[in-house]
Amino acid sequence: MGSNFHHLARGIIINNDKILLAHAIGHKNTFFPGGHIEFGESAPEALKREIEEEIGLSCYIEGYLGLVEHKWEKDKELHCEINQAFKVKVPEMDVLKSPTSRESHIEFYWVSVNELKKHNLQPYPFQKLIPKFVSGDESVWWESTLNYELDEDNIG
């Protein structure tokens, strides 16, 4: 059962109104660069390592954006994940073209922050969080697809 739980670090890389998405070739959805956090590894360390592995460039973490819980089914098995999202800068990245993936099963490309739904960005709460963030909303994210709504009246 443990292998169906995924603890992930995700990098939000924004240039003007464009954001970098990753796509696993042959799949219908997209996701943010990053990947699994190894046991005993911090989320920022994992994210730096994953971006280095995927794109071959070093990055720095500008800040923590929040967390999205998500669940999905694959081959009739339930998977659950926690996505920790960080704002990331990649100084050497050419923002005018898609970065070349170092992993043959993944491709990367820039999309408008208003077209995330069209590109089937998962977990889907990111589809509404990113445009809010780009328009200046700096509140920390906590979203879930696990049938739980934060009770706004009890926060703070």
Side-chain angles (χ1 to χ4, degrees), residues 111-138:
V111 303
S112 162
V113 295
N114 299 313
E115 294 188 336
L116 298 176
K117 192 170 188 163
K118 194 171 95 177
H119 291 273
N120 193 22
L121 174 64
Q122 295 296 326
Y124 63 81
F126 282 131
Q127 295 175 14
K128 70 171 196 232
L129 290 168
I130 296 299
K132 278 172 64 173
F133 173 69
V134 170
S135 68
D137 183 340
E138 303 217 332

Side-chain angles (χ1 to χ4, degrees), residues 60-102:
Y60 61 91
I61 311 290
E62 287 193 307
Y64 182 67
L65 296 176
L67 185 146
V68 175
E69 296 179 332
H70 187 49
K71 68 178 177 183
W72 77 96
E73 272 193 28
K74 182 180 175 185
D75 304 326
K76 295 194 168 69
E77 272 198 300
L78 182 65
H79 289 254
C80 292
E81 67 183 23
I82 289 175
N83 293 268
Q84 298 211 54
F86 294 85
K87 187 164 194 276
V88 171
K89 269 271 185 284
V90 188
E92 296 167 44
M93 184 177 287
D94 182 347
V95 295
L96 299 175
K97 61 184 207 301
S98 298
T100 305
S101 176
R102 292 195 157 185

Side-chain angles (χ1 to χ4, degrees), residues 46-66:
L47 185 54
K48 287 178 157 183
R49 175 183 53 74
E50 286 282 349
I51 287 178
E52 180 90 41
E53 288 171 8
E54 292 171 351
I55 302 174
L57 296 174
S58 54
C59 69
Y60 61 91
I61 311 290
E62 287 193 307
Y64 182 67
L65 296 176

